[in-house]
Amino acid sequence: MMEILWFLLLSLLPGPGSGQGAYAPAQAQIMHAGQACVVKEDNMSERVYTIREGDTLVLQCLISGHPRPQVRWTKTAGSASEKFQETSIYNETLRIEKVQRMQGGRYYCKVENGVGVPAIKSIRVDVQSPPALKMSVNETLVVNPGDNVTMQCTLTGGDPPPKAVWSHSPNPMPPNSISKGGNLTIRQIRAEDSGFYNCTAINNVGNPAKKTVNLLVRSMRNLTYQITPDVIKESETIQLGQDLKLSCHVDAVPQDKVQYTWYKNQKVIKTSDRIVITKNDLELPPVTSSLEIIDLRFSDYGTYLCDASLPNLPLTLNSSEINISAETVPPSISVPRGQLVITVREGSTAELQCEVRGKPLPPVLWTRMDKEATFPNGEKLIETPDGKLRLENVTREMSGGYKCQTARYNGFNIRSREAAVQLNVQFAPVVEPKFQDLRLPMKRSVTLRCNMLKGSPVKVATAVWRFERSLLSVPPIEQQEFSEYKINSTRRETSGTYECTISNDVGSDSCVFQVTGRAYNPEFYYDTPNPIESFKQFKNYSYLIQWTQKEPGAVDPVLHYKLELKPPNMKGMNSFVVISRDSRKGFLYELRLTDLKIPQHYEVKITPHTVSGPGDSASRSIRYKEHGTCRFEDDKLCGFVQDKYDTFDWIRQSKVNQSLRRTANTGPVMDRSGKPEGFYMFIEASRPRRFGDKARLISPLYNITSRLPSLKTTYCVSFYYHMYGRHIGNLTVLLRLKNIVSQDIPLWSKKGDQGNKWQLENLQVNPTAPFQIVFECVIGKGVEGDMAIDDVTIRKGECLKRQIPPTKVAAPSSAARHPLSGFRLWLVSFLLFVLLR
């Protein structure tokens, strides 16, 4: 009886495994690992594990249960028959090196321990393979122009199925081509359609598959010849008894298939001991045919001609006739009289000419003497048959020397004859200064000078000066590159706009001078976000305007400033006069504007006045602004800036955009509001940071309304900080006063781990000058030292006293949460009572 009661008692008490009994049925869950894998769920919510062919397949079966279950892996090929393979694997981890496509399918993990029903989990493995393809034509394909060409690219492998795409290099696909699937058809093919055609298959698995066809369209163009007198004797004329070589070349595709035929007096030439025909002369371009005549005789005089052809191409190109006789003379070239220098105006047409003589008459090649310069079409060489070069709409950049020379092809292969022509393009002048603002004290002399920077002709032909559009009397100038006008004494009557127009007989350009005694504009001092002192009970506020004078020494001293204050879009204006007390640069003026109505905004305009009258004004807006809290939700950081002279910067961060490699056990997870999208300012202590590195975040500049000690202005600086981690360094708050020399005063500092929570701190300050608040972090001795701040408020007035939170209600005792509660606890108590009797 006693043994039965003990057994009942033990069966009711909680066993191992989170409240389960001593025996628990087997459970399983399949996890995946390996390389280049993606896990998804298909339309049937089946788990699918995708892996690339050749990678390592690793599946792990996570098991639980008591006693420890046994594991058995089986696989099907994914067919409807669901037949198991004969081979089974007994291991928690299934690993297959260099997996192949046929090893894809559905894998089962079966676990059992003799308690309950065996657990079976499955996962489908899809093995992807890179693409493969083959081409229907050879790597080189030669066709005739006008043919219809079709190339077929057949996909032979790849999972997922790849897509074949055709491309052409170096040019885009021809407009007469049609690409559909793996087929590419080019109709009525042209010579310019030649090139490399690439068929590429991509399925984002492994490397793309690519096949290339070099498509050659038979063509011939640009047939040329040249005459080479006896090179050994360095002769430039044709003489009996010397050797002579005639050469013929054509640009063809394919070049190596060109066939040449030579004719003399319309009959095919037969070779002999004195007549030799070669095709690969080392001194000439490849595939050039040469006809060599050794020991020239009178009988060799005549008319020669060569033609070029390609097999399977119904086209033959013939050279022009080459007359070989005693009248054949080398070329000469010269520039006609009066044509050595050509002068034209910009935008007109220029014609350059060189005269060439000789028999045969060679073409003329034109180049620019400046080797870096090109012709308007971008080419560096232009050929003309008659020696005339015509240039339309010439520009100043086309000025310079041009060289003409005889071409060696279609003529004598001897030293080129050369000549040169100079082109001068005349253009209107370019002057400086275009505009100059001259501020001068009264009764000063000044000389205005208008300089001609460039132009053609380069000298000033005429210079006309005007004052306020009225002509001024200026002595005539000699040929020079500038013009001047002198003002003997600046007065109100001589203040205004002066204009000088310079001409060089081609065009004109003007300099403009603004000569005044007007003072420059004032420059506002601290443009702070909240320089206000409000009296809400009276519904008004005050504002301290501060300014300095820009370049006060440029003109006569400022006598006074006129301030105009008005609400925008409203009638009425208040005016104030501030007497100037000091003309030194940097002297600070200030005026306290009072009785401004809350929440009205105002426009303020400040104008300096000198003996010459009012100067340039400066305007700005005065905006009423309540003190708010900066939560760093805007990337402008509420006006906070990074210190340029610290070691590294603070980071604006939220849970959404934080690094996936963030250091564990340090730093906040979210901002103080607990929202994943909320931002806060953060410092990262991991590499490349080192011990002692500093980061400073500086607030906007806050002005103060009084500097008298008896009228101190109190501000409250409130913020939340987060300092959690084993290696937390220092977080310090500094008060930076903006006097003549900036001064940093420590206000508050914390060091070391302060707990994984946001904590509030209020600091009360009484600044005596415009000030900023600086948050400084110093890196500790390890990576678990991330710190953060959030919800920063800087407002005028004293800090509110913290209220002590009410005492929390005691949490329920552990006994109340014991798993043996209710009926089970009563039953155990009853059994113990029976045992103890």
Side-chain angles (χ1 to χ4, degrees):
M1 181 65 180
M2 184 66 68
E3 288 80 0
I4 296 174
L5 290 175
W6 273 112
F7 176 77
L8 291 174
L9 177 60
L10 291 174
S11 64
L12 290 171
L13 290 174
S18 302
Q20 294 179 348
Y23 297 93
Q27 296 184 3
Q29 182 181 0
I30 295 181
M31 302 297 291
H32 61 89
Q35 302 175 356
C37 63
V38 176
V39 172
K40 62 181 181 179
E41 291 190 356
D42 61 13
N43 296 332
M44 300 300 294
S45 297
E46 180 183 16
R47 293 182 60 79
V48 180
Y49 176 16
T50 304
I51 187 171
R52 293 182 180 180
E53 188 176 27
D55 289 344
T56 300
L57 172 64
V58 180
L59 299 177
Q60 187 174 11
C61 190
L62 301 183
I63 62 174
S64 63
H66 186 73
R68 182 176 179 82
Q70 292 183 346
V71 181
R72 181 187 181 196
W73 284 94
T74 55
K75 169 188 172 290
T76 67
S79 61
S81 61
E82 295 290 333
K83 292 182 179 179
F84 287 99
Q85 292 185 167
E86 295 181 0
T87 302
S88 298
I89 299 175
Y90 295 90
N91 200 341
E92 295 179 14
T93 301
L94 173 66
R95 183 182 183 91
I96 302 176
E97 303 284 349
K98 296 182 179 180
V99 67
Q100 302 299 314
R101 285 194 62 191
M102 68 284 299
Q103 291 175 308
R106 187 173 289 104
Y107 285 79
Y108 293 86
C109 170
K110 181 179 180 181
V111 296
E112 55 185 337
N113 63 352
V115 180
V117 180
I120 299 178
K121 292 292 183 179
S122 68
I123 186 169
R124 197 181 79 214
V125 176
D126 289 347
V127 181
Q128 296 181 337
S129 59
L133 52 82
K134 66 178 182 179
M135 193 70 68
S136 63
V137 296
N138 297 327
E139 293 183 357
T140 301
L141 180 62
V142 183
V143 298
N144 286 331
D147 290 350
N148 295 330
V149 180
T150 298
M151 294 176 286
Q152 186 174 9
C153 184
T154 305
L155 298 171
T156 59
D159 184 20
K163 181 180 180 182
V165 179
W166 283 93
S167 61
H168 182 215
S169 61
N171 302 317
M173 293 290 288
N176 49 329
S177 63
I178 301 174
S179 177
K180 186 176 181 181
N183 294 336
L184 175 63
T185 301
I186 306 176
R187 299 186 180 277
Q188 298 293 315
I189 198 165
R190 307 161 301 174
E192 55 266 32
D193 298 334
S194 295
F196 292 93
Y197 288 82
N198 308 304
C199 178
T200 306
I202 300 175
N203 66 350
N204 296 324
V205 180
N207 296 322
K210 183 177 179 180
K211 294 288 185 181
T212 300
V213 177
N214 184 13
L215 181 60
L216 302 177
V217 181
R218 295 185 181 94
S219 64
M220 294 189 301
R221 61 184 180 86
N222 195 28
L223 182 67
T224 58
Y225 73 88
Q226 62 184 24
I227 306 169
T228 306
D230 197 331
V231 178
I232 298 177
K233 298 182 179 180
E234 297 182 353
S235 174
E236 293 189 348
T237 60
I238 296 176
Q239 300 178 18
L240 294 176
Q242 295 183 357
D243 296 343
L244 178 70
K245 182 166 65 176
L246 307 179
S247 304
C248 185
H249 178 79
V250 66
D251 295 329
V253 177
Q255 186 72 50
D256 58 341
K257 301 297 182 182
V258 178
Q259 298 176 355
Y260 294 96
T261 305
W262 283 94
Y263 298 87
K264 177 186 176 184
N265 299 332
Q266 300 181 355
K267 293 183 179 180
V268 177
I269 295 177
K270 296 182 180 180
T271 59
S272 65
D273 294 341
R274 287 192 317 106
I275 309 297
V276 180
I277 297 177
T278 59
K279 194 175 182 179
N280 288 302
D281 193 324
L282 297 178
E283 299 177 358
L284 299 172
V287 197
T288 297
S289 180
S290 296
L291 172 64
E292 296 188 47
I293 304 175
I294 301 172
D295 188 15
L296 183 68
R297 300 175 183 177
F298 182 80
S299 60
D300 295 325
Y301 284 168
T303 301
Y304 290 81
L305 180 144
C306 86
D307 68 25
S309 62
L310 279 174
N312 302 318
L313 182 65
L315 173 66
T316 301
L317 292 184
N318 303 102
S319 70
S320 56
E321 294 181 344
I322 311 171
N323 294 312
I324 302 298
S325 67
E327 298 177 357
T328 305
V329 294
S332 63
I333 195 167
S334 62
V335 179
R337 181 178 297 179
Q339 299 292 314
L340 285 173
V341 179
I342 303 297
T343 302
V344 296
R345 290 196 173 188
E346 193 171 34
S348 61
T349 299
E351 187 174 277
L352 313 184
Q353 184 174 356
C354 286
E355 291 183 348
V356 63
R357 298 178 180 85
K359 189 176 183 182
L361 196 67
V364 176
L365 305 178
W366 286 90
T367 56
R368 298 193 64 172
M369 303 290 282
D370 181 359
K371 295 182 179 180
E372 300 300 324
T374 62
F375 290 96
N377 61 359
E379 300 291 336
K380 287 194 172 185
L381 180 72
I382 292 181
E383 177 186 330
T384 60
D386 56 358
K388 293 181 179 179
L389 176 64
R390 184 179 178 86
L391 302 174
E392 305 281 352
N393 192 24
V394 295
T395 63
R396 64 194 69 181
E397 289 78 15
M398 296 172 65
S399 295
Y402 290 77
K403 182 174 70 174
C404 57
Q405 64 183 37
T406 58
R408 295 191 177 188
Y409 57 88
N410 292 348
F412 275 75
N413 181 25
I414 58 176
R415 179 182 57 84
S416 295
R417 275 49 172 171
E418 300 178 354
V421 179
Q422 179 69 31
L423 174 62
N424 293 332
V425 180
Q426 294 183 334
F427 57 93
V430 178
V431 300
E432 74 166 3
K434 290 291 186 181
F435 178 82
Q436 186 174 9
D437 185 9
L438 293 174
R439 309 288 180 108
L440 301 168
M442 294 293 98
K443 299 181 181 180
R444 296 287 181 91
S445 65
V446 62
T447 298
L448 310 180
R449 179 166 176 164
C450 185
N451 297 299
M452 183 171 169
L453 288 180
K454 52 186 176 181
S456 179
V458 295
K459 301 296 182 181
V460 177
T462 60
V464 179
W465 284 86
R466 291 180 173 85
F467 172 63
E468 299 293 345
R469 300 186 178 181
S470 298
L471 283 174
L472 296 173
S473 176
V474 179
I477 62 172
E478 299 179 358
Q479 289 292 320
Q480 56 190 20
E481 299 175 359
F482 62 89
S483 179
E484 292 181 339
Y485 180 80
K486 184 175 182 179
I487 303 174
N488 294 320
S489 178
T490 54
R491 307 184 304 276
R492 289 191 179 185
E493 295 77 12
T494 60
S495 297
T497 303
Y498 291 79
E499 182 180 9
C500 174
T501 302
I502 283 181
S503 172
N504 67 347
D505 296 333
V506 177
S508 60
D509 197 8
S510 298
C511 300
V512 178
F513 304 89
Q514 186 72 31
V515 181
T516 66
R518 292 168 57 93
Y520 284 101
N521 58 280
E523 295 178 322
F524 288 101
Y525 199 39
Y526 295 127
D527 187 10
T528 65
N530 55 347
I532 54 178
E533 181 179 25
S534 58
F535 305 94
K536 293 187 178 180
Q537 62 271 32
F538 304 111
K539 294 187 178 180
N540 61 17
Y541 67 99
S542 64
Y543 201 106
L544 183 68
I545 291 290
Q546 297 176 305
W547 72 93
T548 59
Q549 178 60 42
K550 179 181 177 181
E551 301 297 337
V555 296
D556 294 302
V558 176
L559 301 176
H560 65 271
Y561 292 92
K562 181 179 180 181
L563 277 75
E564 298 171 314
L565 181 71
K566 67 180 290 289
N569 304 323
M570 294 182 65
K571 294 181 179 180
M573 178 186 299
N574 294 328
S575 297
F576 307 89
V577 174
V578 177
I579 304 299
S580 175
R581 304 192 305 276
D582 198 322
S583 60
R584 291 176 300 171
K585 185 174 182 179
F587 182 80
L588 183 63
Y589 294 87
E590 59 182 37
L591 177 66
R592 184 174 180 180
L593 304 174
T594 59
D595 201 25
L596 304 178
K597 302 302 180 184
I598 296 176
Q600 184 65 59
H601 298 170
Y602 293 84
E603 295 290 334
V604 62
K605 178 181 177 182
I606 305 179
T607 307
H609 285 252
T610 64
V611 293
S612 63
D616 294 344
S617 301
S619 300
R620 64 161 293 176
S621 297
I622 295 176
R623 308 180 78 72
Y624 178 79
K625 180 180 178 182
E626 293 283 357
H627 299 276
T629 298
C630 181
R631 295 182 172 86
F632 303 107
E633 300 303 313
D634 189 349
D635 58 5
K636 295 182 180 179
L637 306 181
C638 315
F640 280 77
V641 295
Q642 308 280 358
D643 192 339
K644 297 180 181 179
Y645 305 104
D646 58 7
T647 314
F648 67 106
D649 286 343
W650 289 73
I651 303 169
R652 176 174 170 266
Q653 181 171 283
S654 70
K655 182 178 181 181
V656 176
N657 74 348
Q658 68 185 4
S659 172
L660 297 177
R661 298 181 179 179
R662 66 185 302 269
T663 307
N665 302 319
T666 186
V669 177
M670 286 181 281
D671 77 337
R672 195 191 71 82
S673 68
K675 298 179 180 179
E677 65 276 8
F679 284 89
Y680 54 91
M681 298 305 292
F682 173 78
I683 65 115
E684 172 62 60
S686 301
R687 287 187 299 177
R689 301 281 69 83
R690 295 182 296 178
F691 174 68
D693 283 358
K694 292 182 180 180
R696 295 191 189 94
L697 189 67
I698 306 175
S699 77
L701 189 65
Y702 290 83
N703 215 333
I704 59 174
T705 56
S706 175
R707 292 185 180 178
L708 298 177
S710 60
L711 298 175
K712 288 184 178 180
T713 303
T714 302
Y715 283 82
C716 180
V717 180
S718 175
F719 63 95
Y720 283 84
Y721 65 92
H722 193 287
M723 302 172 66
Y724 166 58
R726 292 187 302 162
H727 308 128
I728 293 292
N730 291 68
L731 174 60
T732 304
V733 180
L734 305 167
L735 174 66
R736 177 170 293 180
L737 297 177
K738 302 291 285 188
N739 287 319
I740 298 176
V741 178
S742 295
Q743 180 183 9
D744 287 351
I745 302 172
L747 297 178
W748 175 91
S749 183
K750 285 284 185 182
K751 181 179 181 181
D753 186 359
Q754 304 297 320
N756 188 9
K757 59 183 177 180
W758 288 99
Q759 302 187 63
L760 174 65
E761 187 64 41
N762 292 318
L763 306 175
Q764 193 162 295
V765 295
N766 297 290
T768 57
F771 71 95
Q772 292 170 290
I773 299 299
V774 182
F775 290 91
E776 178 186 83
C777 274
V778 180
I779 294 296
K781 296 182 179 180
V783 297
E784 295 182 16
D786 301 345
M787 291 178 271
I789 60 172
D790 199 4
D791 293 3
V792 179
T793 303
I794 304 174
R795 61 178 181 81
K796 191 176 294 183
E798 295 182 353
C799 295
L800 299 176
K801 294 183 179 180
R802 296 190 189 180
Q803 294 183 354
I804 301 174
T807 305
K808 295 183 179 180
V809 179
S813 64
S814 59
R817 300 189 300 269
H818 197 279
L820 292 180
S821 59
F823 172 76
R824 295 181 65 189
L825 182 60
W826 175 86
L827 183 57
V828 170
S829 301
F830 172 76
L831 291 173
L832 290 174
F833 173 74
V834 173
L835 290 171
L836 295 174
R837 286 187 61 186

